[in-house]
Amino acid sequence: MDEVFQALSDSTRRQMLRDLAASDRTVSELAAPHPMSLAAASKHIRVLENAGLIRREVEGRTHRCHLEAGPLAAAHDELGFYEQFWTSSLNTLDRLLREEAAQETESSRTTSDPQPKDD
Amino acid sequence: MDEVFQALSDSTRRQMLRDLAASDRTVSELAAPHPMSLAAASKHIRVLENAGLIRREVEGRTHRCHLEAGPLAAAHDELGFYEQFWTSSLNTLDRLLREEAAQETESSRTTSDPQPKDD
DNA sequence: AATTTATTAAACCAATCGGTTGACTAATAA
DNA sequence: TTATTAGTCAACCGATTGGTTTAATAAATT
């Protein structure tokens, strides 16, 4: 997971993923839009590959790259955990407290007492 | 966005966000579970703050940290773009081609996307 | 007033990052 | 055969990262 988010933290690499979403691309094709050496782009692609975000098929002297969505799904899912915090800002506190109460498995930490807001 | 994914790329920081999802925490409370100096944890918290993922309220000598979900929503949304690639592997190519064709007009960005679920 | 507590600041370190250049390999084209 | 093309490798560079330790600051406690 570290590697996935790390790979996503560079806009060059995110652009490459976007391009791959449109269609498979060779290394040169992926590199073309970016103002850097081919070697630098090649390293970016390697980072994406090591994170499992792309797969590579060697065809003769060209390498055809293909988007691999699994890790993206995992990352998406991990962020989905926080969905409660951006859907309905006012509802959030209420929902959280209820879920926390329902999940009364480990409450050894100093959880602040839910104080009734009389607004 | 770079900063957000960069912040998310460290498991210590992801754990801190998880903790903050349960409740607001002070710097010491956030640092406690992690086998490192308080100064190191403090730097992690700074990274999260700079990425806009947490807000800090200074109360006397303690700093109370609060989860800020906006950037998480943005990241979630960005990854959501690739949802087509992990939902129904065989259907993907077909759907992509159709959506690409439909987007050729680019007239309205309505969120209505009724997909006939034939599983 | 003196001390403890919560936190940051500063200097340092080894490792990694994102980029460069130049040499190299292997497949294709002339 | 000889270039040309596609791509990687290796060495190097400056900046950043994630950690350390030792102060420093400011608030709370005694």
Side-chain angles (χ1 to χ4, degrees):
Chain A
M1 201 79 286
D2 289 39
E3 276 177 304
V4 174
F5 282 119
Q6 176 62 35
L8 289 170
S9 76
D10 185 277
S11 70
T12 295
R13 291 191 291 258
R14 288 199 303 278
Q15 184 58 55
M16 286 175 168
L17 290 182
R18 286 269 171 179
D19 291 347
L20 287 172
S23 72
D24 290 358
R25 300 283 162 94
T26 69
V27 168
S28 302
E29 287 169 351
L30 280 177
H34 304 286
M36 63 182 67
S37 69
L38 181 62
S42 176
K43 285 209 257 181
H44 280 299
I45 293 169
R46 174 61 49 96
V47 170
L48 291 169
E49 194 178 16
N50 288 340
L53 289 166
I54 74 178
R55 181 169 34 94
R56 183 193 304 246
E57 277 174 43
V58 179
E59 299 174 355
R61 66 180 163 179
T62 79
H63 299 196
R64 180 146 270 99
C65 299
H66 173 83
L67 184 64
E68 204 65 50
L72 291 175
H76 185 263
D77 201 56
E78 179 138 343
L79 295 182
F81 169 79
Y82 300 95
E83 207 159 20
Q84 45 186 296
F85 288 94
W86 67 74
T87 62
S88 176
S89 181
L90 279 193
N91 223 348
T92 296
L93 175 59
D94 183 74
R95 188 184 313 180
L96 238 192
L97 290 178
R98 254 184 284 132
E99 285 181 356
E100 212 164 86
Q103 194 197 355
E104 197 134 0
T105 51
E106 64 122 87
S107 57
S108 55
R109 187 170 289 281
T110 52
T111 50
S112 56
D113 297 303
Q115 27 193 8
K117 271 199 107 160
D118 54 335
D119 62 344
Chain B
M1 203 80 286
D2 289 40
E3 276 177 304
V4 174
F5 282 118
Q6 175 63 34
L8 289 170
S9 76
D10 184 277
S11 70
T12 296
R13 292 192 289 260
R14 287 200 304 277
Q15 185 56 57
M16 287 176 167
L17 290 182
R18 286 266 170 181
D19 291 346
L20 286 171
S23 72
D24 290 358
R25 300 282 161 94
T26 70
V27 169
S28 301
E29 286 170 350
L30 279 177
H34 304 286
M36 63 181 68
S37 69
L38 182 61
S42 175
K43 286 208 256 181
H44 280 299
I45 293 169
R46 174 61 50 94
V47 170
L48 291 169
E49 194 179 16
N50 288 341
L53 289 166
I54 73 178
R55 183 169 31 95
R56 183 193 305 246
E57 277 173 44
V58 180
E59 299 174 356
R61 65 181 163 179
T62 79
H63 299 195
R64 180 147 268 100
C65 298
H66 172 84
L67 184 66
E68 204 65 50
L72 291 174
H76 185 263
D77 200 56
E78 179 137 344
L79 295 182
F81 170 80
Y82 299 95
E83 206 160 22
Q84 45 187 300
F85 289 94
W86 66 74
T87 60
S88 176
S89 184
L90 278 194
N91 225 344
T92 296
L93 174 59
D94 183 74
R95 188 183 312 180
L96 235 195
L97 290 178
R98 254 183 286 129
E99 285 182 356
E100 216 162 82
Q103 194 191 357
E104 205 95 9
T105 56
E106 174 65 290
S107 54
S108 64
R109 289 189 58 193
T110 55
T111 56
S112 57
D113 194 4
Q115 37 191 17
K117 215 174 174 188
D118 59 339
D119 70 307

